[in-house]
Amino acid sequence: MEKKPSKTIEVRQSVTLANDRAAGELRDRFAAKGVWVLNLISSPGAGKTALIEKTVENLRDEFSILVIEGDPHTSLDSDRINRMGARALQINTLGGCHLDAAMIGHALLNIDLEKVAAVFIENVGNLLCPAAWDLGQDATCVLAGLTEGPDKPLKYPETFSLADVLVINKTDLAPYLPGASAMLLPNALKINPGLTVFETSCIDGSGLLSWYDWVKDMMEKKQGGRARA
Amino acid sequence: MEKKPSKTIEVRQSVTLANDRAAGELRDRFAAKGVWVLNLISSPGAGKTALIEKTVENLRDEFSILVIEGDPHTSLDSDRINRMGARALQINTLGGCHLDAAMIGHALLNIDLEKVAAVFIENVGNLLCPAAWDLGQDATCVLAGLTEGPDKPLKYPETFSLADVLVINKTDLAPYLPGASAMLLPNALKINPGLTVFETSCIDGSGLLSWYDWVKDMMEKKQGGRARA
């Protein structure tokens, strides 16, 4: 439906191709150091920062996790992560609606990845635009708050279909939501049957142990890949 | 932070200027017919459709309200509005992250505005991108679900600063949310002290009567403007 001059589309395609090249270079750099990289995408306020806080708190004694926080404005999220004892780098897009590979490369300029087990990238809160921009990640995680309603996977299939992992968060609120909320998971699996699924609450902690185990497993496999390389 | 070729920026500016012209034409057309137009912007799942459903249900006997539903995919929302006894036009952006004036003009091509009191435009669920695109509206309403956390006005000031009205929705869940949720309103007023504010729940109905009264008042004033013109 969106009508724009064809010139815009050509420029956009070349920008996306340039991003793909930059993301490929990042991916090679992460692979060489055995660093596992997760790109977290969701609507604003689905709980990405809360999930990263909990994960860092639980795993920080065993693994060095670096967090990159993407927001249009403020350093509120990186401040939260720093308080949990992990290093966080803030990217402010100044109104931009997604992160791109050049921003990630710039944020990592002076970072020694040798000592890093994983990079968690919290994308800008936006269920649509970040999907098209590869950041060199190993896995893409879409978070969906149970409070957002069950129809989001059907309306935003671009993001749900490219994700590897779905975290359904805020399950502590399930008793107070309309019954239809339970359709979120079936709707997501209709769009992407291959999703690895976690149902979590960062308030009461339910489901988080399985999530930590999965993250640990991913980090160990990536580090093992480097050892064998 | 976002680095892109200057060519892209130039093309984008000319596209936005073209949108402003198209929005101006829409605004003239709405004014000539005394049609009041509201542009609703929020994160996915904040409750835009639920608020429109309730408004249509309450006011449909007195006012003819036309609804334009913007979504990347599906006709789920226009189906909901049609079931409430109002006419809804669905725009699918096919992955596009906002509505623009040309889309609105196209949707209204065969609509006789003579019989319409108001057009409610539900934008694509996205707290950032729709802000830059004028649709010829009289008022912009930002919805914020209380479940999204209190920091969204600070992170997304573009949208909160241009809005005329703030609806804080899902207040029925307040007893089950962290106390910090109450900071949503002060944070919004810090960004935009001129906001007209409603605190609503489409589940238990609280706050909706004041909202209906405001909508009625706006529609009547716009119709009166036509009568005097």
Short mmCIF file of all heavy atoms in Angstrom, two decimals, chain A residues 1-2 8 11 43-45 71-74 76-77 92 95-98 103 125-126 128-129 147-148 151-152 154-158 170 173 176, chain B residues 1-2 8 11 43-45 71-74 76-77 92 95-98 103 125-126 128-129 147-148 151-152 154-158 170 173 176:
data_model
loop_
_atom_site.label_atom_id
_atom_site.label_comp_id
_atom_site.label_asym_id
_atom_site.label_seq_id
_atom_site.Cartn_x
_atom_site.Cartn_y
_atom_site.Cartn_z
N MET A 1 0.83 -1.20 0.00
CA MET A 1 0.00 0.00 0.00
C MET A 1 0.87 1.26 0.00
O MET A 1 0.48 2.29 -0.50
CB MET A 1 -0.87 0.04 1.26
CG MET A 1 -1.97 -0.97 1.31
SD MET A 1 -3.22 -0.67 0.04
CE MET A 1 -3.92 0.88 0.63
N GLU A 2 2.08 1.14 0.57
CA GLU A 2 2.91 2.32 0.75
C GLU A 2 3.49 2.75 -0.58
O GLU A 2 4.22 2.02 -1.23
CB GLU A 2 4.04 2.00 1.74
CG GLU A 2 4.69 3.24 2.28
CD GLU A 2 5.60 2.90 3.47
OE1 GLU A 2 5.86 1.72 3.67
OE2 GLU A 2 6.02 3.83 4.14
N THR A 8 13.64 6.00 -3.70
CA THR A 8 13.76 5.70 -2.28
C THR A 8 14.01 4.22 -2.08
O THR A 8 14.85 3.81 -1.28
CB THR A 8 12.46 6.08 -1.54
OG1 THR A 8 12.13 7.41 -1.87
CG2 THR A 8 12.63 5.94 -0.05
N VAL A 11 17.60 3.26 -2.94
CA VAL A 11 18.56 3.71 -1.93
C VAL A 11 18.45 2.81 -0.70
O VAL A 11 19.44 2.35 -0.15
CB VAL A 11 18.31 5.19 -1.54
CG1 VAL A 11 19.21 5.60 -0.38
CG2 VAL A 11 18.57 6.09 -2.74
N SER A 43 7.96 -5.19 21.24
CA SER A 43 7.27 -3.92 21.45
C SER A 43 7.93 -3.18 22.62
O SER A 43 8.58 -3.81 23.46
CB SER A 43 5.81 -4.18 21.85
OG SER A 43 5.15 -4.96 20.90
N PRO A 44 7.74 -1.87 22.70
CA PRO A 44 8.21 -1.16 23.89
C PRO A 44 7.54 -1.73 25.15
O PRO A 44 6.34 -2.00 25.15
CB PRO A 44 7.73 0.28 23.65
CG PRO A 44 7.54 0.41 22.17
CD PRO A 44 7.08 -0.95 21.73
N GLY A 45 8.35 -1.95 26.18
CA GLY A 45 7.77 -2.35 27.46
C GLY A 45 7.37 -3.81 27.59
O GLY A 45 6.61 -4.16 28.49
N ASP A 71 18.09 2.48 22.32
CA ASP A 71 16.89 3.26 22.63
C ASP A 71 16.91 4.53 21.81
O ASP A 71 17.99 5.05 21.51
CB ASP A 71 16.86 3.65 24.12
CG ASP A 71 16.18 2.59 24.98
OD1 ASP A 71 15.03 2.24 24.65
OD2 ASP A 71 16.80 2.14 25.94
N PRO A 72 15.74 5.09 21.49
CA PRO A 72 15.74 6.38 20.82
C PRO A 72 16.44 7.45 21.66
O PRO A 72 17.22 8.25 21.14
CB PRO A 72 14.24 6.70 20.66
CG PRO A 72 13.55 5.38 20.72
CD PRO A 72 14.39 4.53 21.64
N HIS A 73 16.19 7.46 22.96
CA HIS A 73 16.77 8.44 23.86
C HIS A 73 16.97 7.82 25.25
O HIS A 73 16.37 6.80 25.55
CB HIS A 73 15.85 9.67 24.01
CG HIS A 73 15.57 10.38 22.72
ND1 HIS A 73 16.36 11.38 22.23
CD2 HIS A 73 14.58 10.20 21.81
CE1 HIS A 73 15.87 11.80 21.07
NE2 HIS A 73 14.78 11.10 20.79
N THR A 74 17.75 8.45 26.08
CA THR A 74 18.05 8.13 27.49
C THR A 74 19.05 6.97 27.64
O THR A 74 19.23 6.17 26.73
CB THR A 74 16.82 7.76 28.35
OG1 THR A 74 16.46 6.38 28.14
CG2 THR A 74 15.65 8.69 28.09
N LEU A 76 18.60 5.08 30.43
CA LEU A 76 17.91 4.41 31.54
C LEU A 76 18.22 2.91 31.57
O LEU A 76 18.45 2.33 32.63
CB LEU A 76 16.40 4.63 31.42
CG LEU A 76 15.91 6.08 31.64
CD1 LEU A 76 14.46 6.25 31.20
CD2 LEU A 76 16.05 6.44 33.13
N ASP A 77 18.21 2.26 30.39
CA ASP A 77 18.37 0.80 30.37
C ASP A 77 19.81 0.38 30.65
O ASP A 77 20.05 -0.57 31.40
CB ASP A 77 17.90 0.24 29.02
CG ASP A 77 16.38 0.25 28.90
OD1 ASP A 77 15.72 0.59 29.90
OD2 ASP A 77 15.87 -0.09 27.82
N ASN A 92 22.02 5.49 21.49
CA ASN A 92 20.81 6.29 21.31
C ASN A 92 20.64 6.57 19.82
O ASN A 92 21.50 7.17 19.19
CB ASN A 92 20.89 7.61 22.08
CG ASN A 92 20.64 7.44 23.57
OD1 ASN A 92 21.25 8.09 24.39
ND2 ASN A 92 19.73 6.55 23.94
N GLY A 95 15.81 8.93 17.74
CA GLY A 95 14.56 8.83 16.99
C GLY A 95 14.57 7.70 15.97
O GLY A 95 13.52 7.32 15.47
N GLY A 96 15.74 7.16 15.65
CA GLY A 96 15.82 6.03 14.71
C GLY A 96 15.12 4.82 15.28
O GLY A 96 15.18 4.57 16.49
N CYS A 97 14.48 4.02 14.43
CA CYS A 97 13.54 3.00 14.89
C CYS A 97 14.13 1.61 15.00
O CYS A 97 13.41 0.66 15.27
CB CYS A 97 12.31 2.99 13.99
SG CYS A 97 12.72 2.76 12.25
N HIS A 98 15.43 1.46 14.79
CA HIS A 98 16.06 0.14 14.86
C HIS A 98 17.56 0.32 14.99
O HIS A 98 18.09 1.41 14.68
CB HIS A 98 15.76 -0.66 13.59
CG HIS A 98 16.28 0.03 12.36
ND1 HIS A 98 17.59 -0.11 11.93
CD2 HIS A 98 15.71 0.91 11.51
CE1 HIS A 98 17.78 0.64 10.85
NE2 HIS A 98 16.65 1.28 10.57
N MET A 103 26.11 0.59 13.80
CA MET A 103 26.02 1.08 15.18
C MET A 103 26.67 0.08 16.14
O MET A 103 27.36 0.46 17.09
CB MET A 103 24.55 1.25 15.59
CG MET A 103 23.79 2.32 14.81
SD MET A 103 22.06 2.35 15.38
CE MET A 103 21.29 3.25 14.04
N GLY A 125 12.69 -0.63 21.07
CA GLY A 125 11.37 -1.21 21.28
C GLY A 125 10.47 -0.95 20.08
O GLY A 125 9.96 0.17 19.92
N ASN A 126 10.28 -1.98 19.25
CA ASN A 126 9.60 -1.81 17.98
C ASN A 126 9.43 -3.22 17.42
O ASN A 126 10.42 -3.92 17.21
CB ASN A 126 10.46 -0.93 17.05
CG ASN A 126 9.81 -0.63 15.72
OD1 ASN A 126 9.06 -1.45 15.18
ND2 ASN A 126 10.10 0.53 15.18
N LEU A 128 8.47 -4.16 14.55
CA LEU A 128 8.45 -4.26 13.09
C LEU A 128 9.81 -3.96 12.46
O LEU A 128 10.41 -4.82 11.81
CB LEU A 128 7.40 -3.27 12.57
CG LEU A 128 6.87 -3.47 11.16
CD1 LEU A 128 6.26 -4.84 10.98
CD2 LEU A 128 5.83 -2.40 10.87
N CYS A 129 10.31 -2.73 12.65
CA CYS A 129 11.46 -2.25 11.88
C CYS A 129 12.76 -3.02 12.13
O CYS A 129 13.54 -3.22 11.20
CB CYS A 129 11.68 -0.77 12.12
SG CYS A 129 10.19 0.23 11.87
N THR A 147 0.38 -9.33 28.08
CA THR A 147 -0.57 -8.21 28.14
C THR A 147 -0.83 -7.56 26.78
O THR A 147 -1.73 -6.74 26.66
CB THR A 147 -0.02 -7.12 29.08
OG1 THR A 147 1.34 -6.86 28.72
CG2 THR A 147 -0.05 -7.58 30.52
N GLU A 148 -0.02 -7.89 25.77
CA GLU A 148 -0.15 -7.24 24.46
C GLU A 148 -1.25 -7.83 23.60
O GLU A 148 -1.51 -7.33 22.50
CB GLU A 148 1.18 -7.31 23.70
CG GLU A 148 2.29 -6.51 24.33
CD GLU A 148 3.65 -6.82 23.71
OE1 GLU A 148 3.73 -7.07 22.50
OE2 GLU A 148 4.64 -6.84 24.46
N ASP A 151 -2.90 -11.45 19.25
CA ASP A 151 -2.91 -11.33 17.79
C ASP A 151 -1.61 -10.82 17.18
O ASP A 151 -1.48 -10.75 15.96
CB ASP A 151 -4.08 -10.43 17.34
CG ASP A 151 -4.08 -9.07 18.06
OD1 ASP A 151 -3.16 -8.83 18.86
OD2 ASP A 151 -5.00 -8.27 17.80
N LYS A 152 -0.63 -10.47 18.01
CA LYS A 152 0.56 -9.82 17.48
C LYS A 152 1.35 -10.68 16.49
O LYS A 152 1.84 -10.15 15.49
CB LYS A 152 1.47 -9.33 18.63
CG LYS A 152 0.79 -8.27 19.50
CD LYS A 152 0.28 -7.10 18.71
CE LYS A 152 -0.71 -6.22 19.47
NZ LYS A 152 -2.02 -6.83 19.76
N LEU A 154 0.24 -12.66 14.29
CA LEU A 154 -0.47 -12.63 13.01
C LEU A 154 -0.30 -11.29 12.32
O LEU A 154 -0.22 -11.20 11.10
CB LEU A 154 -1.97 -12.93 13.24
CG LEU A 154 -2.27 -14.19 14.04
CD1 LEU A 154 -3.78 -14.33 14.27
CD2 LEU A 154 -1.73 -15.43 13.33
N LYS A 155 -0.24 -10.21 13.12
CA LYS A 155 -0.11 -8.86 12.55
C LYS A 155 1.33 -8.52 12.20
O LYS A 155 1.57 -7.69 11.33
CB LYS A 155 -0.62 -7.83 13.56
CG LYS A 155 -2.13 -7.84 13.77
CD LYS A 155 -2.46 -6.77 14.78
CE LYS A 155 -3.94 -6.60 14.99
NZ LYS A 155 -4.20 -5.55 16.00
N TYR A 156 2.27 -9.10 12.93
CA TYR A 156 3.70 -8.78 12.75
C TYR A 156 4.49 -10.04 12.39
O TYR A 156 5.46 -10.39 13.06
CB TYR A 156 4.27 -8.14 14.03
CG TYR A 156 3.59 -6.84 14.41
CD1 TYR A 156 2.37 -6.85 15.09
CD2 TYR A 156 4.13 -5.61 14.04
CE1 TYR A 156 1.72 -5.66 15.41
CE2 TYR A 156 3.50 -4.43 14.37
CZ TYR A 156 2.30 -4.44 15.05
OH TYR A 156 1.67 -3.28 15.37
N PRO A 157 4.08 -10.73 11.33
CA PRO A 157 4.73 -12.01 11.02
C PRO A 157 6.20 -11.87 10.62
O PRO A 157 6.97 -12.81 10.79
CB PRO A 157 3.90 -12.56 9.85
CG PRO A 157 3.28 -11.35 9.22
CD PRO A 157 3.02 -10.40 10.37
N GLU A 158 6.60 -10.69 10.12
CA GLU A 158 8.01 -10.52 9.73
C GLU A 158 8.93 -10.85 10.90
O GLU A 158 9.91 -11.58 10.75
CB GLU A 158 8.28 -9.06 9.28
CG GLU A 158 7.70 -8.67 7.93
CD GLU A 158 6.24 -8.25 8.00
OE1 GLU A 158 5.64 -8.31 9.09
OE2 GLU A 158 5.69 -7.85 6.95
N LYS A 170 5.67 -11.83 31.32
CA LYS A 170 4.58 -11.29 32.15
C LYS A 170 3.49 -12.33 32.42
O LYS A 170 2.30 -11.99 32.52
CB LYS A 170 3.96 -10.03 31.52
CG LYS A 170 5.01 -8.97 31.13
CD LYS A 170 4.41 -7.61 30.90
CE LYS A 170 5.50 -6.64 30.45
NZ LYS A 170 5.06 -5.27 30.34
N LEU A 173 0.72 -12.08 35.16
CA LEU A 173 -0.52 -11.32 34.99
C LEU A 173 -1.63 -12.16 34.34
O LEU A 173 -2.76 -11.67 34.19
CB LEU A 173 -0.26 -10.04 34.17
CG LEU A 173 0.64 -9.00 34.84
CD1 LEU A 173 0.96 -7.86 33.88
CD2 LEU A 173 -0.02 -8.44 36.12
N TYR A 176 -5.31 -12.21 35.39
CA TYR A 176 -6.08 -10.96 35.32
C TYR A 176 -6.36 -10.52 33.88
O TYR A 176 -6.88 -9.44 33.65
CB TYR A 176 -5.33 -9.85 36.07
CG TYR A 176 -4.74 -10.33 37.38
CD1 TYR A 176 -3.38 -10.47 37.56
CD2 TYR A 176 -5.60 -10.72 38.42
CE1 TYR A 176 -2.85 -10.94 38.76
CE2 TYR A 176 -5.08 -11.20 39.61
CZ TYR A 176 -3.71 -11.31 39.78
OH TYR A 176 -3.20 -11.79 40.95
N MET B 1 23.15 9.04 15.83
CA MET B 1 23.98 7.84 15.72
C MET B 1 23.81 7.15 14.36
O MET B 1 24.73 6.51 13.86
CB MET B 1 23.62 6.83 16.79
CG MET B 1 23.96 7.25 18.20
SD MET B 1 25.73 7.34 18.49
CE MET B 1 26.20 5.61 18.31
N GLU B 2 22.62 7.24 13.78
CA GLU B 2 22.35 6.46 12.58
C GLU B 2 23.07 7.08 11.39
O GLU B 2 22.80 8.21 11.02
CB GLU B 2 20.84 6.42 12.33
CG GLU B 2 20.44 5.35 11.35
CD GLU B 2 18.93 5.16 11.35
OE1 GLU B 2 18.22 5.99 11.93
OE2 GLU B 2 18.48 4.18 10.77
N THR B 8 19.92 9.38 1.00
CA THR B 8 18.72 8.82 1.62
C THR B 8 17.95 9.90 2.37
O THR B 8 16.74 9.99 2.28
CB THR B 8 19.11 7.72 2.63
OG1 THR B 8 19.97 6.82 1.96
CG2 THR B 8 17.89 7.01 3.15
N VAL B 11 16.06 12.22 -0.01
CA VAL B 11 14.87 11.57 -0.58
C VAL B 11 13.79 11.50 0.48
O VAL B 11 12.62 11.79 0.23
CB VAL B 11 15.22 10.16 -1.11
CG1 VAL B 11 13.96 9.44 -1.56
CG2 VAL B 11 16.20 10.25 -2.26
N SER B 43 2.26 1.74 21.18
CA SER B 43 2.92 0.46 21.03
C SER B 43 1.90 -0.58 20.58
O SER B 43 0.70 -0.40 20.81
CB SER B 43 3.49 -0.02 22.37
OG SER B 43 4.36 0.92 22.93
N PRO B 44 2.34 -1.70 20.00
CA PRO B 44 1.41 -2.79 19.73
C PRO B 44 0.76 -3.27 21.03
O PRO B 44 1.44 -3.42 22.04
CB PRO B 44 2.31 -3.90 19.14
CG PRO B 44 3.53 -3.19 18.63
CD PRO B 44 3.72 -2.02 19.56
N GLY B 45 -0.55 -3.46 21.00
CA GLY B 45 -1.21 -4.08 22.14
C GLY B 45 -1.49 -3.15 23.31
O GLY B 45 -1.76 -3.63 24.42
N ASP B 71 -2.64 -1.72 9.93
CA ASP B 71 -1.88 -2.85 10.46
C ASP B 71 -0.93 -3.35 9.38
O ASP B 71 -1.25 -3.24 8.20
CB ASP B 71 -2.81 -4.01 10.86
CG ASP B 71 -3.30 -3.91 12.29
OD1 ASP B 71 -2.45 -3.78 13.19
OD2 ASP B 71 -4.53 -3.95 12.49
N PRO B 72 0.21 -3.91 9.78
CA PRO B 72 1.08 -4.52 8.77
C PRO B 72 0.35 -5.61 7.98
O PRO B 72 0.48 -5.70 6.77
CB PRO B 72 2.23 -5.11 9.61
CG PRO B 72 2.23 -4.33 10.87
CD PRO B 72 0.80 -3.96 11.14
N HIS B 73 -0.42 -6.44 8.70
CA HIS B 73 -1.14 -7.54 8.06
C HIS B 73 -2.45 -7.82 8.82
O HIS B 73 -2.60 -7.39 9.94
CB HIS B 73 -0.29 -8.83 8.07
CG HIS B 73 1.01 -8.71 7.36
ND1 HIS B 73 1.16 -8.96 6.01
CD2 HIS B 73 2.23 -8.33 7.81
CE1 HIS B 73 2.42 -8.74 5.66
NE2 HIS B 73 3.09 -8.37 6.74
N THR B 74 -3.34 -8.54 8.22
CA THR B 74 -4.64 -9.03 8.74
C THR B 74 -5.72 -7.94 8.74
O THR B 74 -5.42 -6.74 8.74
CB THR B 74 -4.59 -9.62 10.18
OG1 THR B 74 -4.62 -8.56 11.14
CG2 THR B 74 -3.38 -10.51 10.39
N LEU B 76 -7.99 -8.22 11.26
CA LEU B 76 -8.55 -8.57 12.58
C LEU B 76 -9.21 -7.36 13.23
O LEU B 76 -10.29 -7.47 13.81
CB LEU B 76 -7.43 -9.11 13.49
CG LEU B 76 -6.85 -10.49 13.10
CD1 LEU B 76 -5.58 -10.77 13.89
CD2 LEU B 76 -7.89 -11.58 13.36
N ASP B 77 -8.55 -6.19 13.15
CA ASP B 77 -9.07 -5.02 13.86
C ASP B 77 -10.31 -4.44 13.19
O ASP B 77 -11.28 -4.07 13.87
CB ASP B 77 -7.98 -3.94 13.99
CG ASP B 77 -6.93 -4.32 15.03
OD1 ASP B 77 -7.13 -5.35 15.71
OD2 ASP B 77 -5.93 -3.60 15.17
N ASN B 92 -3.66 -2.37 5.05
CA ASN B 92 -2.52 -3.23 5.39
C ASN B 92 -1.27 -2.64 4.76
O ASN B 92 -1.18 -2.49 3.54
CB ASN B 92 -2.74 -4.66 4.87
CG ASN B 92 -3.69 -5.46 5.75
OD1 ASN B 92 -4.47 -6.25 5.26
ND2 ASN B 92 -3.62 -5.26 7.05
N GLY B 95 3.97 -4.68 6.03
CA GLY B 95 5.28 -4.53 6.68
C GLY B 95 5.66 -3.08 6.93
O GLY B 95 6.58 -2.81 7.69
N GLY B 96 4.99 -2.13 6.29
CA GLY B 96 5.29 -0.70 6.52
C GLY B 96 4.96 -0.32 7.96
O GLY B 96 3.99 -0.82 8.53
N CYS B 97 5.75 0.60 8.52
CA CYS B 97 5.71 0.82 9.97
C CYS B 97 4.85 2.00 10.39
O CYS B 97 4.83 2.36 11.56
CB CYS B 97 7.13 1.00 10.50
SG CYS B 97 8.05 2.30 9.65
N HIS B 98 4.11 2.62 9.45
CA HIS B 98 3.27 3.77 9.80
C HIS B 98 2.29 4.00 8.67
O HIS B 98 2.49 3.51 7.55
CB HIS B 98 4.14 5.02 9.98
CG HIS B 98 4.89 5.37 8.72
ND1 HIS B 98 4.35 6.12 7.70
CD2 HIS B 98 6.13 5.02 8.29
CE1 HIS B 98 5.21 6.24 6.72
NE2 HIS B 98 6.31 5.57 7.04
N MET B 103 -2.19 7.03 1.94
CA MET B 103 -2.97 5.82 2.29
C MET B 103 -4.36 6.22 2.77
O MET B 103 -5.36 5.57 2.43
CB MET B 103 -2.26 5.02 3.39
CG MET B 103 -0.91 4.45 3.02
SD MET B 103 -0.21 3.59 4.46
CE MET B 103 1.51 3.46 3.96
N GLY B 125 0.74 -0.22 15.09
CA GLY B 125 1.26 -0.31 16.45
C GLY B 125 2.76 -0.08 16.48
O GLY B 125 3.55 -0.97 16.14
N ASN B 126 3.16 1.14 16.87
CA ASN B 126 4.57 1.54 16.78
C ASN B 126 4.66 2.89 17.49
O ASN B 126 3.97 3.83 17.10
CB ASN B 126 4.94 1.66 15.29
CG ASN B 126 6.41 2.00 15.06
OD1 ASN B 126 7.03 2.71 15.85
ND2 ASN B 126 6.95 1.51 13.97
N LEU B 128 7.03 4.99 17.60
CA LEU B 128 8.06 5.90 17.09
C LEU B 128 7.75 6.43 15.69
O LEU B 128 7.58 7.63 15.49
CB LEU B 128 9.39 5.13 17.07
CG LEU B 128 10.67 5.95 17.01
CD1 LEU B 128 10.78 6.90 18.17
CD2 LEU B 128 11.87 4.99 17.01
N CYS B 129 7.66 5.54 14.70
CA CYS B 129 7.63 5.96 13.30
C CYS B 129 6.39 6.77 12.92
O CYS B 129 6.49 7.70 12.11
CB CYS B 129 7.76 4.75 12.38
SG CYS B 129 9.18 3.70 12.79
N THR B 147 0.96 -1.31 31.68
CA THR B 147 1.85 -2.48 31.74
C THR B 147 3.16 -2.26 31.01
O THR B 147 4.07 -3.08 31.12
CB THR B 147 1.14 -3.68 31.09
OG1 THR B 147 0.61 -3.26 29.82
CG2 THR B 147 0.00 -4.17 31.95
N GLU B 148 3.28 -1.19 30.23
CA GLU B 148 4.50 -0.98 29.43
C GLU B 148 5.63 -0.35 30.22
O GLU B 148 6.73 -0.17 29.68
CB GLU B 148 4.18 -0.09 28.21
CG GLU B 148 3.26 -0.73 27.21
CD GLU B 148 2.73 0.27 26.19
OE1 GLU B 148 3.48 1.19 25.81
OE2 GLU B 148 1.56 0.15 25.79
N ASP B 151 8.73 4.43 31.79
CA ASP B 151 9.82 5.18 31.15
C ASP B 151 9.58 5.53 29.68
O ASP B 151 10.39 6.20 29.06
CB ASP B 151 11.14 4.40 31.29
CG ASP B 151 11.02 2.97 30.78
OD1 ASP B 151 9.93 2.60 30.28
OD2 ASP B 151 12.01 2.22 30.87
N LYS B 152 8.45 5.08 29.11
CA LYS B 152 8.27 5.24 27.67
C LYS B 152 8.22 6.70 27.21
O LYS B 152 8.78 7.03 26.18
CB LYS B 152 7.03 4.46 27.19
CG LYS B 152 7.14 2.96 27.41
CD LYS B 152 8.39 2.39 26.79
CE LYS B 152 8.76 0.99 27.29
NZ LYS B 152 9.16 0.89 28.70
N LEU B 154 9.92 9.15 28.28
CA LEU B 154 11.29 9.65 28.26
C LEU B 154 12.08 9.07 27.09
O LEU B 154 12.92 9.74 26.48
CB LEU B 154 11.99 9.30 29.58
CG LEU B 154 11.23 9.71 30.85
CD1 LEU B 154 11.98 9.25 32.10
CD2 LEU B 154 11.00 11.21 30.89
N LYS B 155 11.78 7.81 26.75
CA LYS B 155 12.50 7.16 25.66
C LYS B 155 11.94 7.53 24.29
O LYS B 155 12.66 7.45 23.29
CB LYS B 155 12.43 5.64 25.83
CG LYS B 155 13.21 5.09 26.98
CD LYS B 155 13.02 3.58 27.00
CE LYS B 155 13.87 2.91 28.04
NZ LYS B 155 13.60 1.45 28.03
N TYR B 156 10.65 7.83 24.23
CA TYR B 156 9.98 8.11 22.95
C TYR B 156 9.36 9.51 22.97
O TYR B 156 8.16 9.67 22.75
CB TYR B 156 8.90 7.04 22.68
CG TYR B 156 9.44 5.64 22.57
CD1 TYR B 156 9.72 4.89 23.70
CD2 TYR B 156 9.72 5.09 21.32
CE1 TYR B 156 10.26 3.62 23.61
CE2 TYR B 156 10.25 3.82 21.22
CZ TYR B 156 10.51 3.08 22.37
OH TYR B 156 11.04 1.82 22.27
N PRO B 157 10.17 10.54 23.25
CA PRO B 157 9.60 11.89 23.40
C PRO B 157 9.00 12.43 22.10
O PRO B 157 8.12 13.29 22.17
CB PRO B 157 10.81 12.72 23.85
CG PRO B 157 12.00 11.97 23.33
CD PRO B 157 11.63 10.52 23.45
N GLU B 158 9.47 11.95 20.93
CA GLU B 158 8.90 12.45 19.67
C GLU B 158 7.39 12.30 19.68
O GLU B 158 6.65 13.23 19.33
CB GLU B 158 9.49 11.68 18.47
CG GLU B 158 10.94 12.00 18.14
CD GLU B 158 11.94 11.20 18.96
OE1 GLU B 158 11.51 10.46 19.87
OE2 GLU B 158 13.16 11.35 18.72
N LYS B 170 -5.45 0.27 30.62
CA LYS B 170 -5.19 -0.94 31.41
C LYS B 170 -5.02 -0.62 32.91
O LYS B 170 -4.25 -1.28 33.60
CB LYS B 170 -3.98 -1.71 30.88
CG LYS B 170 -4.05 -1.97 29.37
CD LYS B 170 -3.10 -3.05 28.93
CE LYS B 170 -3.16 -3.18 27.41
NZ LYS B 170 -2.42 -4.31 26.89
N LEU B 173 -5.15 -3.22 35.80
CA LEU B 173 -4.02 -4.07 36.19
C LEU B 173 -3.10 -3.39 37.21
O LEU B 173 -2.14 -4.01 37.69
CB LEU B 173 -3.21 -4.49 34.95
CG LEU B 173 -3.96 -5.41 33.97
CD1 LEU B 173 -3.13 -5.64 32.71
CD2 LEU B 173 -4.30 -6.75 34.62
N TYR B 176 -1.54 -5.05 40.29
CA TYR B 176 -0.63 -6.19 40.09
C TYR B 176 0.70 -5.78 39.48
O TYR B 176 1.51 -6.62 39.10
CB TYR B 176 -1.32 -7.24 39.20
CG TYR B 176 -2.76 -7.45 39.58
CD1 TYR B 176 -3.80 -7.07 38.74
CD2 TYR B 176 -3.08 -8.00 40.82
CE1 TYR B 176 -5.12 -7.24 39.12
CE2 TYR B 176 -4.40 -8.16 41.21
CZ TYR B 176 -5.41 -7.77 40.35
OH TYR B 176 -6.71 -7.92 40.73
#
